[in-house]
Amino acid sequence: MTLDQTQLRMASAHPAHSTVADTMDAAGPQVWEDMTVEVALSVMAAARTGHLVVCDEDGSHTGLVTRAGLMAVRDGSAYTDRIRLRDIADVIGPFASPPATRAEAERAMRCRRLGAAPVVEGHGSALGVVALSR
């Protein structure tokens, strides 16, 4: 597990025209896709975060899981303590590109009913997370 310390904030006075890179938050804890749902929830609680960036065995970003998503899986009738993050169909979500506009990223997240999306550079490394504005 690694913690990405990238922290970028608003660089533009007009959030609708700002890029994802201007408005993203730190990626937060990065975990492996073979982690169980229970362990992932424990990591979230310890890190006091609502999301985790999920990576494959090569360290490439494969998705993002949220506390709400993991709780829904855990509360489901098909849940067992052997379910891994890679077993959850919606782990792999849309990725935001650093030069994309904030408006484009928010439109994609709303379309897919996501509260957040990982910001990923060309090699698959997570740079941060962009969340829907409220």
Side-chain angles (χ1 to χ4, degrees):
M1 242 183 317
T2 62
L3 181 62
D4 186 333
Q5 296 296 324
T6 305
Q7 187 74 25
L8 300 174
R9 289 289 169 199
M10 294 291 289
S12 170
H14 303 287
H17 301 298
S18 62
T19 66
V20 169
D22 294 334
T23 61
M24 70 183 181
D25 292 323
Q30 297 184 18
V31 297
W32 307 121
E33 38 181 30
D34 63 348
M35 180 178 281
T36 65
V37 169
E38 287 299 323
V39 173
L41 285 167
S42 296
V43 170
M44 273 188 205
R48 295 185 178 149
T49 186
H51 64 269
L52 296 172
V53 173
V54 181
C55 299
D56 65 13
E57 60 276 352
D58 296 326
S60 294
H61 177 273
T62 60
L64 181 110
V65 292
T66 63
R67 178 179 289 121
L70 292 178
M71 295 293 287
V73 169
R74 189 178 70 178
D75 294 342
S77 61
Y79 177 75
T80 72
D81 62 357
R82 294 183 182 182
I83 294 178
R84 310 258 179 218
L85 297 181
R86 77 165 74 78
D87 299 330
I88 302 170
D90 62 352
V91 167
I92 298 174
F95 306 134
S97 173
T101 67
R102 173 86 188 191
E104 290 169 335
E106 287 193 359
R107 210 172 12 260
M109 287 184 286
R110 283 193 174 92
C111 180
R112 294 188 177 143
R113 296 184 180 151
L114 300 171
V119 179
V120 178
E121 53 97 13
H123 301 308
S125 298
L127 301 174
V129 173
V130 63
L132 283 175
S133 55
R134 301 201 185 230

